């Protein structure tokens, strides 16, 4: 009887496998360069996808749904879909394929956006600070430890300036948080922080410093992002996660960095910044521990406008203390940001009302996107520790 049941199950399983034919492999006579995306010498991009059975394929560019642009692709007689853009400026671009209504990453590219649920690819058009140039390169250190605050193993990345891993002079530190939905690799891979720091340092535009990049998501049982509907994140997820990440930063990350590296330990030698959800994290930790930092950057951040924090709100009213402590309080938003634009403008109105001095930037034509955050980071980091 058991054998009969197993045989039936195997037959059903085998039948289900045969219901849909396996995808056809590209011919062995076709070089992969013929069906993978590429940047051309004239700064145009040709997107390609091998999908002979597809009925319609589009490449979709843009960072958020309100900024998506769909480009219809055409199929040749080999089953390769393609579309070539106009010339674009040097930058790192996001895109995905719409294949008969199914969202797909570019299976011919190794450059996927670092996300908790991967659905986007990246392509770099060279010619900017994002490039890997022939300059002295810093090191990327990965630190792993058991967090007693979160009761789990945690990791973070540290960019160390070239030749400075054993610096005799204490280095200042920038702590930088990534945004919602991305992984701890976001700052490295999509933010291009190692390339930016290498190139700016080679041009003598920044002070040597460590850049510490923690994971913004704590993954506490009560603060796992995937367990919250988008409509309820601001009410429950963000405040829970922010308090846990704040404890991790103050009780574990900063002491660990001080033990591992020769760094400055006074507030003048510490900066804190972040983008989107990471901007909220920077605001929360920066205000709750104002005595710990002298440089603060909030890029398109969720703010206390929509995610209240009574301690942060109380601190923002103490204009004399904030102005005395912070040598730089940078706020950056895109004029077309429909995700956190109201948060940022509301925060600016509040700070102006309280006479808090800020370095405010509202950039036209930009939304909630890396096209804003990378330039904001580049400008911010050049102002630090001077």
């Amino acid at each position: 009887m058991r054998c009969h049941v197993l045989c039936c199950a195997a037959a059903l399983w085998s039948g289900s496998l045969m219901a849909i034919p396996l995808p056809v492999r590209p011919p062995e006579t076709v070089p992969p360069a013929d069906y993978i995306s590429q940047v051309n010498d004239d700064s145009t991009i040709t997107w390609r996808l091998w999908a002979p059975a597809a009925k319609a394929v589009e490449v979709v560019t843009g960072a958020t749904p309100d900024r998506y642009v769909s480009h219809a692709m055409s199929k040749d007689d080999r089953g390769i879909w393609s579309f070539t853009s106009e010339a674009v400026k040097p930058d790192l671009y996001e895109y995905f394929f719409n294949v008969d209504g199914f969202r797909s990453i570019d299976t011919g590219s190794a450059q996927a956006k670092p996300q908790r649920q991967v659905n986007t690819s990246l392509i770099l058009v060279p010619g900017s600070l994002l490039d890997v140039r022939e300059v002295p390169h810093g090191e990327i250190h990965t630190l792993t430890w058991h967090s007693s605050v979160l009761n789990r193993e945690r990791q973070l990345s540290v960019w160390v300036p070239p030749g400075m891993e054993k610096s005799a002079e204490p280095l200042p530190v920038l702590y930088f948080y990534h945004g919602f939905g991305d992984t701890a690799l976001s700052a490295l891979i999509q933010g291009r922080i190692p390339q930016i720091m290498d190139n700016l340092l080679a041009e003598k535009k920044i002070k040597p410093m460590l850049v510490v990049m923690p994971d913004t998501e704590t993954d506490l049982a009560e603060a796992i992002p995937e367990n919250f509907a988008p409509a309820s994140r601001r009410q429950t997820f963000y405040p829970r996660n922010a308090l846990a990440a704040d404890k991790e930063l103050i009780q574990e990350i900063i002491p660990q960095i001080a033990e591992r590296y020769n760094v400055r330990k006074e507030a003048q030698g510490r900066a804190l910044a972040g983008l989107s959800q990471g901007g909220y994290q920077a605001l929360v930790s920066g205000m709750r521990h104002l005595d710990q930092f002298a440089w603060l950057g909030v890029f398109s951040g969720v703010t206390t406008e929509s995610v209240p924090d009574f301690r942060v709100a109380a601190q923002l009213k103490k204009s004399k203390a904030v102005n005395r402590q912070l040598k730089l309080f940078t706020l950056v938003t895109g004029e077309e940001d429909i995700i956190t634009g109201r948060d940022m403008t509301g925060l600016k109105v509040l700070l102006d009302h309280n006479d808090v001095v800020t370095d405010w930037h509202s950039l036209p034509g930009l939304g909630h996107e890396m096209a804003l955050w990378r330039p904001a980071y580049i400008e911010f980091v050049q102002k630090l520790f001077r």
Side-chain angles (χ1 to χ4, degrees):
M1 180 64 179
R2 180 173 179 272
C3 179
H4 175 72
V5 171
L6 290 174
C7 289
C8 289
L12 289 171
W13 179 68
S14 176
S16 67
L17 287 180
M18 296 302 293
I20 302 176
L22 292 172
V24 179
R25 290 171 55 85
E28 296 291 329
T29 56
V30 177
D34 284 8
Y35 54 83
I36 61 177
S37 302
Q38 69 177 44
V39 177
N40 304 310
D41 293 338
D42 59 357
S43 294
T44 62
I45 303 172
T46 298
W47 284 281
R48 299 186 181 92
L49 181 68
W50 166 263
K55 296 180 175 60
V57 180
E58 297 175 331
V59 58
V60 182
T61 55
T64 53
D66 61 296
R67 304 182 72 78
Y68 287 163
V69 178
S70 297
H71 312 274
M73 304 178 74
S74 58
K75 183 171 68 170
D76 66 16
D77 56 7
R78 298 173 297 176
I80 300 171
W81 297 81
S82 65
F83 170 80
T84 299
S85 73
E86 297 179 351
V88 296
K89 68 177 184 179
D91 207 342
L92 183 66
Y93 293 92
E94 298 182 36
Y95 68 99
F96 60 89
F97 292 124
N98 179 3
V99 184
D100 295 336
F102 175 77
R103 178 168 179 157
S104 172
I105 61 170
D106 187 344
T107 55
S109 170
Q111 295 190 75
K113 181 179 177 179
Q115 298 168 283
R116 290 172 70 97
Q117 292 86 46
V118 181
N119 60 19
T120 303
S121 294
L122 304 172
I123 192 164
L124 177 69
V125 177
S128 72
L129 285 172
L130 310 185
D131 296 353
V132 177
R133 297 177 179 174
E134 189 176 349
V135 299
H137 300 292
E139 295 183 350
I140 300 297
H141 297 176
T142 300
L143 306 187
T144 306
W145 77 101
H146 178 78
S147 170
S148 58
V149 168
L150 304 177
N151 193 29
R152 64 178 60 247
E153 304 309 300
R154 293 286 282 173
Q155 283 191 334
L156 57 75
S157 298
V158 185
W159 178 81
V160 182
M164 298 284 184
E165 63 274 8
K166 295 182 180 179
S167 173
E169 180 181 349
L171 291 171
V173 185
L174 165 60
Y175 295 87
F176 187 80
Y177 282 100
H178 66 80
F180 181 84
D182 294 335
T183 72
L185 294 176
S186 174
L188 296 176
I189 295 174
Q190 190 178 19
R192 305 288 287 186
I193 284 179
Q195 292 78 20
I196 289 170
M197 299 302 288
D198 286 351
N199 295 331
L200 287 176
L201 189 60
E203 294 175 4
K204 302 186 185 305
K205 292 182 177 179
I206 58 172
K207 293 285 187 179
M209 69 185 80
L210 295 185
V211 183
V212 177
M213 295 158 275
D215 191 341
T216 309
E217 314 298 0
T218 61
D219 281 322
L220 282 176
E222 63 272 21
I224 296 175
E226 289 78 10
N227 291 344
F228 296 84
S232 65
R233 285 178 192 147
R234 279 174 161 82
Q235 289 74 35
T236 50
F237 166 71
Y238 285 132
R240 292 177 186 177
N241 186 81
L243 294 183
D246 178 64
K247 290 180 181 178
E248 180 189 40
L249 175 66
I250 301 301
Q251 297 178 22
E252 296 184 339
I253 294 177
I254 290 177
Q256 185 176 187
I257 295 300
E259 181 179 355
R260 174 70 171 76
Y261 302 96
N262 184 17
V263 296
R264 292 169 60 180
K265 297 178 175 62
E266 81 287 2
Q268 300 293 319
R270 288 198 197 113
L272 179 63
L275 60 89
S276 193
Q277 182 194 346
Y280 180 69
Q281 193 61 53
L283 182 64
V284 168
S285 291
M287 287 296 113
R288 280 174 166 254
H289 309 281
L290 187 60
D291 62 324
Q292 297 283 315
F293 307 95
W295 318 80
L296 184 60
V298 180
F299 309 150
S300 307
V302 176
T303 74
T304 50
E305 280 292 298
S306 62
V307 186
D309 183 303
F310 74 93
R311 291 187 181 178
V312 173
Q315 197 76 302
L316 292 176
K317 294 178 181 178
K318 302 175 183 178
S319 59
K320 291 184 179 179
V322 174
N323 293 337
R324 183 173 57 250
Q325 177 67 17
L326 292 183
K327 294 176 68 66
L328 181 67
F329 190 0
T330 295
L331 304 175
V332 184
T333 188
E335 287 187 0
E336 298 180 8
D337 187 342
I338 67 171
I339 297 174
T340 62
R342 289 185 179 180
D343 282 75
M344 292 298 295
T345 54
L347 177 62
K348 178 63 164 61
V349 169
L350 174 65
L351 294 176
D352 286 347
H353 177 75
N354 292 341
D355 295 323
V356 174
V357 177
T358 62
D359 173 35
W360 168 257
H361 304 269
S362 180
L363 305 181
L366 293 172
H368 202 75
E369 54 190 323
M370 278 286 182
L372 172 78
W373 301 326
R374 282 187 296 259
Y377 176 89
I378 289 168
E379 182 172 345
F380 177 74
V381 80
Q382 292 181 72
K383 299 175 181 177
L384 297 182
F385 311 122
R386 296 187 181 277

